[in-house]
Amino acid sequence: EAMTAVSGTRDDVLAVLDRLGVDRAVLAGGDIVARSPIDGGEAGRVTTLSAADVDALVRKAHAAQLAWRVVPAPRRGELVRLLGEELRAVRTDLGLLVTLEAGKILSEGLGEVQEMIDICDFAVGLSRQLYGLTIATERPGHRLMETWHPLGVCGVISAFNFPVAVWSWNAALALVCGNSVIWKPSEKTPLTAIAVQAAFERAAAKFGSAPDGLSILAQGHADVGQALVDHPLVPLVSATGSTRMGRAVAPRLAARFARAILELGGNNAAIVAPSADLELAVRGIAFAAMGTAGQRCTTLRRLIVHEAVADRLLDRLAAAYRSVKVGDPREAGTLVGPLIDKASYDGMVKALAAAKAAGGTVIGGDRVDVGSGDAYYVRPALVVMPDQAGPMLEETFAPILYVVRYRDLDQAIALQNGVPQGLASSIFTTDMREAETFMSPAGSDCGIANVNLGPSGAEIGGAFGGEKETGGGREAGSDSWKAYMRRATNTINYSRSLPLAQGVQFDI
Ligand code: UN1
């Protein structure tokens, strides 16, 4: 497959940075390369911090937090409301920059910024709802209640694939909860981070009285992330990335009793039952498996299909895989953009070879020539496996959908749960018993379990995250905010006597 040469990202990046109010001088030099996976072109280099710089920044963020924690929460919400306004104003351009830097198609780039706006709105509402309980006390003349207090400096380590939304899930909540934020973005997406920081600074300027250092961008390599993870003034680190990264981060946080919100690998499955609406299933599977070129942590990677419908479904899927438009994500009609880099492509090649060695039949998966050797486009791969084994048990961050057949639902659920990761899952069925069983305690073991849609594309209103090797963290909606606060239990004695709990007598 050859297509017209893809190029011109450097000019696009410079133009969009101008519109986003980011000085082109940020590209003047440094040791992080700002490049676009669309053509592999470099826009310039960005300066980074070293681990030794982190201490001063954490101290600055800490000082900011001490001032911020006593600002009333609804007032803190006002800053996040202004951030949401800034994001609305730059939605199109920031979305385009996500496309340029992460390679997402335009509607997904925009969707990511929309997700930022949504979480800001959610957090503004929350800023008046950081409720603690009042609890029935066993003692007369007493009141028992809980109060939620700000926690401190929150570290955020994010990945290339959601270069802006993940920061916002954490930052919007952390800020209304009375915390400051230090963000170490992926080295692969430095420019989107700079643009987001600029939007935050405009919001802070409009707010007027935000302490300096409330949100700090710390670009750098793994040593900068590690310095954040090890800093005693950082009580919480929210880290998104591979399970390998999580294994490095979690023990270090545990060693100093800091909190971790870990959003690690997913190996997400969909079950297609005999009663499924196949038309709808094909569309749901196509978006979940091929969208974002298979580079979401929620991407559908395993399809578990009932043998009665497997042939029909596979025929339709194979047609979709053959026809889906792969190419420049800036172009209308493109559904699959580039992989982020060569390492990602190499990982896909390796996984497909392993799948073949394990008896898999591969449809698609070839590299697509775009006239630039430094860009890595692939036709998504559909791999029919004899059983769930080999590379199917791992997360390969590329568009590979493995397919296995099943006979009965218990077997399908066992397959769904039979991998080390536990992020997202789904079932396509119109049988109420099957759907409910899938969502029951004996069903999917994931943090996300959907019915009649794929595992990806979560809204911000729900808690986002997963179990097992996915790390157990929850971000965004529901009561995820509680992770960014500390809970104080308060007992107040308004009587003139001192009744002890559990009826203990201690008369002196
Ligand atoms: C991720 O891939 O890191 O559910 C997050 C989704 C998105 C978030 C994905 N809202 O696909």
Side-chain angles (χ1 to χ4, degrees):
E1 273 178 88
M3 31 189 299
T4 50
V6 166
S7 64
T9 57
R10 184 163 194 276
D11 292 343
D12 283 5
V13 166
L14 295 178
V16 79
L17 286 181
D18 288 344
R19 296 200 296 275
L20 286 165
V22 174
D23 189 342
R24 289 178 179 203
V26 300
L27 289 166
D31 69 346
I32 290 185
V33 178
R35 63 182 282 283
S36 174
I38 296 175
D39 60 358
E42 290 188 20
R45 283 167 174 265
V46 175
T47 45
T48 59
L49 301 173
S50 69
D53 302 319
V54 170
D55 180 59
L57 292 179
V58 169
R59 286 179 192 285
K60 188 172 170 188
H62 179 67
Q65 197 269 335
L66 294 183
W68 191 239
R69 66 183 180 177
V70 292
V71 173
R75 178 80 188 130
R76 301 193 298 243
E78 172 61 9
L79 172 62
V80 175
R81 192 189 68 77
L82 290 167
L83 175 61
E85 295 283 287
E86 290 302 321
L87 294 169
R88 282 180 169 85
V90 296
R91 183 171 172 266
T92 313
D93 287 324
L94 186 55
L96 175 58
L97 189 58
V98 170
T99 291
L100 290 166
E101 203 169 40
K104 296 187 180 193
I105 61 170
L106 288 173
S107 86
E108 289 192 66
L110 282 177
E112 202 185 326
V113 183
Q114 186 58 49
E115 203 165 330
M116 301 178 82
I117 295 166
D118 295 343
I119 193 73
C120 285
D121 287 357
F122 179 84
V124 174
L126 256 188
S127 72
R128 290 179 186 270
Q129 300 175 80
L130 303 174
Y131 302 138
L133 296 172
T134 300
I135 299 152
T137 161
E138 64 190 56
R139 285 173 277 188
H142 280 57
R143 184 156 62 90
L144 178 57
M145 63 172 205
E146 62 186 15
T147 315
W148 291 89
H149 293 303
L151 192 62
V153 180
C154 298
V156 177
I157 297 173
S158 62
F160 80 86
N161 67 324
F162 274 81
V164 293
V166 169
W167 172 81
S168 69
W169 298 347
N170 289 284
L173 295 194
L175 288 168
V176 300
C177 291
N179 304 310
S180 57
V181 180
I182 298 198
W183 179 21
K184 192 253 174 257
S186 164
E187 296 100 299
K188 294 170 187 173
T189 52
L191 298 179
T192 45
I194 290 170
V196 167
Q197 181 67 16
F200 174 82
E201 267 153 31
R202 285 192 297 274
K206 286 188 181 153
F207 183 78
S209 57
D212 195 27
L214 207 46
S215 171
I216 291 177
L217 177 58
Q219 304 260 25
H221 296 285
D223 58 329
V224 169
Q226 187 170 314
L228 263 183
V229 164
D230 289 340
H231 203 291
L233 288 177
V234 180
L236 165 71
V237 173
S238 173
T240 301
S242 64
T243 293
R244 196 171 61 86
M245 181 276 286
R247 277 195 216 286
V249 163
R252 302 183 84 99
L253 290 170
R256 63 179 184 89
F257 302 102
R259 287 190 202 170
I261 297 179
L262 297 175
E263 303 287 347
L264 311 176
N267 190 1
N268 318 297
I271 296 171
V272 184
S275 69
D277 174 340
L278 285 191
E279 213 52 62
L280 182 142
V282 168
R283 280 187 287 132
I285 292 163
F287 167 66
M290 297 192 281
T292 332
Q295 300 170 106
R296 290 193 191 214
C297 53
T298 49
T299 289
L300 174 59
R301 308 198 181 280
R302 299 179 295 131
L303 196 59
I304 302 162
V305 194
H306 193 273
E307 56 186 16
V309 289
D311 289 341
R312 262 184 301 154
L313 181 72
L314 278 172
D315 280 351
R316 291 190 207 191
L317 277 178
Y321 270 67
R322 272 193 292 269
S323 65
V324 70
K325 188 175 166 197
V326 179
D328 190 334
R330 294 168 297 181
E331 257 172 43
T334 299
L335 293 181
V336 179
L339 295 175
I340 190 68
D341 57 17
K342 178 173 191 300
S344 171
Y345 173 70
D346 291 345
M348 178 164 176
V349 170
K350 201 171 144 222
L352 290 179
K356 279 182 194 154
T361 310
V362 179
I363 299 164
D366 315 297
R367 189 161 173 197
V368 177
D369 182 10
V370 295
S372 165
D374 296 328
Y376 295 86
Y377 291 78
V378 289
R379 180 145 294 280
L382 193 59
V383 182
V384 181
M385 296 287 286
D387 47 43
Q388 178 164 283
M392 199 171 169
L393 302 174
E394 291 156 28
E395 177 189 54
T396 301
F397 228 54
I400 303 174
L401 179 61
Y402 301 103
V403 187
V404 289
R405 291 165 202 250
Y406 79 91
R407 271 223 172 107
D408 66 73
L409 188 64
D410 286 347
Q411 182 201 2
I413 290 172
L415 285 165
Q416 140 59 37
N417 295 344
V419 294
Q421 308 84 355
L423 180 54
S425 61
S426 74
I427 188 168
F428 289 90
T429 181
T430 53
D431 181 328
M432 184 262 252
R433 289 178 181 143
E434 289 191 336
E436 293 290 335
T437 302
F438 182 72
M439 291 182 289
S440 78
S444 162
D445 64 0
C446 289
I448 294 170
N450 296 337
V451 177
N452 289 329
L453 66 155
S456 72
E459 309 177 12
I460 59 92
F464 182 84
E467 306 303 332
K468 303 193 294 189
E469 286 191 5
T470 303
R474 291 296 186 277
E475 289 173 328
S478 185
D479 64 352
S480 306
W481 61 272
K482 290 179 175 173
Y484 303 81
M485 300 197 89
R486 62 181 177 85
R487 179 191 334 229
T489 299
N490 310 119
T491 306
I492 301 112
N493 178 5
Y494 58 90
S495 76
R496 292 180 200 280
S497 58
L498 193 72
L500 299 178
Q502 298 90 40
V504 170
Q505 296 296 322
F506 198 88
D507 301 318
I508 56 170

